[in-house]
Amino acid sequence: MDVAGAFNNVHHERLIYNLKKRRIPHAIASWVASFLQDGSTQLLFNSSKSQHIPTLAGVPQGSPLSLLLYMFYNADFLDIAQQHQATGLGFIDDIVYGVQGNTDKENTRKIKASSMKLKNGGRNMGYSS
C-alpha cells in the first residue's frame, strides 16, 4: 500500500500523541509541536503569488526531519498487523502486510481483519480524530 498525500495529511495532534506514546522525551515532542505550528504556504500561478494560506496539517516537504516524523505518525498502522497475527513492514509512506497460516481461508481472514482496521483509519488506537 502507498499512502496518498502522506506528508500533506499529517494530523499534528496525532503526531505529537504518537511521539509521546513511543516514549519520545516531552521536550522533543514540544519542540516538534512548535516546529509545526503557524505553518503557511503560497500558491504561484502565471507569475501571480497568492497571500499566505495557513496549513493546519502536514509536515514540511524537503525537510529531513519530515521523514522521521512521518514514520512516527504512521507507526500505528504497523501495529495493526501484530494485532491480527500478521507481519507489517513499512518505509515512510509504504506499508505491506503479510500473513502465514494453515489454509488460504485463514490467511484471507487475517488480511481482511488487518485491512478493515487500516481502512477505518486505525480507529480505537488511542487517539482522537
Side-chain angles (χ1 to χ4, degrees):
M1 296 172 274
D2 181 55
V3 180
F7 292 94
N8 294 333
N9 292 306
V10 170
H11 186 272
H12 296 169
E13 186 178 318
R14 178 177 158 214
L15 171 60
I16 300 307
Y17 173 86
N18 281 358
L19 291 172
K20 291 176 182 176
K21 176 181 171 183
R22 297 188 186 277
R23 299 183 181 181
I24 298 300
H26 178 74
I28 294 174
S30 294
W31 182 87
V32 169
S34 177
F35 172 70
L36 295 174
Q37 79 181 25
D38 299 326
S40 67
T41 191
Q42 287 183 295
L43 303 175
L44 179 63
F45 184 73
N46 288 341
S47 302
S48 293
K49 194 181 284 187
S50 73
Q51 298 287 330
H52 283 272
I53 303 165
T55 53
L56 305 175
V59 291
Q61 292 190 30
S63 169
L65 183 59
S66 294
L67 297 171
L68 296 172
L69 294 177
Y70 190 79
M71 286 191 289
F72 278 100
Y73 181 74
N74 211 30
D76 284 347
F77 292 122
L78 297 177
D79 294 342
I80 289 172
Q82 292 176 348
Q83 296 170 5
H84 297 283
Q85 300 169 342
T87 300
L89 300 172
F91 182 72
I92 315 297
D93 62 344
D94 295 310
I95 300 169
V96 65
Y97 287 166
V99 298
Q100 178 179 325
N102 294 325
T103 67
D104 58 340
K105 288 182 182 180
E106 181 183 352
N107 290 341
T108 301
R109 181 190 56 75
K110 289 177 186 177
I111 285 291
K112 279 186 179 180
S114 296
S115 298
M116 288 305 294
K117 186 95 173 204
L118 184 63
K119 183 178 178 181
N120 290 328
R123 286 187 183 84
N124 302 320
M125 294 194 71
Y127 54 83
S128 59
S129 295

